[in-house]
Amino acid sequence: MSKLSNIDLVHYSAPLDVEIMRFSELKTRASAQRLATPHRVDFCHLMVITHGTPTHLVDFVPMGGTEGSWLLVKPGQVHAFDLVSEWDGWLVVFKSEVLPAQSDARQVASASDMFESLPTLVQPDSEAHLAG
């Protein structure tokens, strides 16, 4: 049996199509074991780190973030939260279907196709982060 076949698939179960919360709030809603164990998701996570320097695991690759970093976990990716480091930030979870597909017949793309070209980790300089 392969390593990947033992990984749980987590389905989107929020009552709304988009949910925004602090990571500190998520830690009160899910067990530490659940958050720290690698799991595959069928929805998107966008994390904005506001405090600390976590190392988030995405597809078994450690992604070191700093304050102001943006981290995107795409549907189908395996990830695990860093519960060792002291950090917090905003977490936006949503189904990729909430993003509109391009309507131009020459460039029809689904939301999941759009995600393929996006980077997993973006670390804007402090001026760019404050401008957002």
Side-chain angles (χ1 to χ4, degrees):
M1 187 179 297
S2 80
K3 180 177 169 181
L4 293 178
S5 63
N6 293 330
I7 296 176
D8 287 341
L9 174 63
V10 177
H11 298 283
Y12 191 82
S13 61
L16 301 174
D17 288 340
V18 177
E19 188 169 2
I20 302 170
M21 71 191 93
R22 302 282 305 174
F23 177 66
S24 51
E25 178 187 342
L26 178 63
K27 291 192 307 185
T28 67
R29 295 167 51 179
S31 73
Q33 180 180 355
R34 178 73 161 169
L35 295 172
T37 301
H39 54 281
R40 186 177 307 278
V41 293
D42 69 352
F43 53 96
C44 303
H45 289 67
L46 177 61
M47 291 181 273
V48 181
I49 300 164
T50 59
H51 168 76
T53 56
T55 301
H56 196 84
L57 191 67
V58 179
D59 286 343
F60 304 101
V61 176
M63 299 283 174
T66 58
E67 292 180 23
S69 295
W70 293 62
L71 183 81
L72 175 64
V73 178
K74 304 165 192 168
Q77 287 188 304
V78 174
H79 80 116
F81 290 95
D82 176 355
L83 298 183
V84 176
S85 303
E86 289 290 325
W87 72 279
D88 203 2
W90 288 101
L91 178 64
V92 181
V93 293
F94 57 96
K95 298 180 199 179
S96 59
E97 297 85 43
V98 301
L99 298 176
Q102 295 178 7
S103 59
D104 186 336
R106 296 171 297 172
Q107 295 182 357
V108 175
S110 69
S112 59
D113 292 336
M114 288 189 313
F115 286 121
E116 291 307 313
S117 63
L118 295 174
T120 300
L121 182 65
V122 176
Q123 296 180 309
D125 60 38
S126 59
E127 286 184 30
H129 179 68
L130 291 175

